[in-house]
Amino acid sequence: MISDATKARFDREVAKYPAEQKQSAVMACLSIVQQELGFVSAESEKVIAEHLGMAPMAVHEVTTFYNMYNQRPVGKFKLNVCTNLPCQLRDGQKALHHLEHKLGIHMGETTADGLFTLQQSECLGACADSPVMLVNDRAMCSFMTNEKLDQLVDGLRASEGK
């Protein structure tokens, strides 16, 4: 499942740390797996654990702690809406509910066409800009009114010709 080329990428990350601290590369290795497979499976966690000399549970703890690691396949567009208290006070939960209604799914689900996965997330560090969300763990969207949410979803759908 994990190719030799992927393990070579692991080795390049491990080389950045002293030999006795090679476990420090765990997040980079998880990111590599996710880039190549789209998600981090239990089997890939075991391979990473073996490669880094860690207990599989220690790798799993990292995978489950951060919401940037997908533990199952997700849609082409992963929408993470901040629902931490500052965003809640400024309509973060309402933004999540609006997206659930617009996409026809519940938080944690993926649309039938495989385009969107909707998730809640903890603090994204932009409380003054709330409600905020992160698209594909890369693009931060701020001040997400219902209109801006609709524009975002419609624009992403249009980019896929759907």
Side-chain angles (χ1 to χ4, degrees), residues 68-155:
M68 65 191 166
Y69 300 120
N70 307 319
Q71 297 171 54
R72 62 184 189 283
V74 296
K76 178 161 185 159
F77 302 109
K78 184 171 76 167
L79 308 177
N80 281 353
V81 180
C82 181
T83 56
N84 221 6
L85 184 58
C87 279
Q88 288 250 12
L89 293 172
R90 294 185 59 190
D91 296 332
Q93 195 70 34
K94 288 180 185 177
L96 179 65
H97 291 312
H98 181 78
L99 285 170
E100 286 178 324
H101 182 268
K102 180 158 183 76
L103 297 171
I105 59 174
H106 294 289
M107 188 270 300
E109 295 179 341
T110 300
T111 56
D113 61 7
L115 275 183
F116 297 98
T117 296
L118 183 59
Q119 298 178 335
Q120 67 181 11
S121 78
E122 286 299 315
C123 185
L124 295 173
C127 303
D129 298 347
S130 62
V132 296
M133 62 184 293
L134 199 57
V135 178
N136 288 345
D137 302 316
R138 298 273 189 262
M140 178 75 76
C141 302
S142 300
F143 306 108
M144 296 307 290
T145 63
N146 288 349
E147 295 78 24
K148 286 180 78 174
L149 292 167
D150 290 343
Q151 289 173 356
L152 173 70
V153 169
D154 294 343

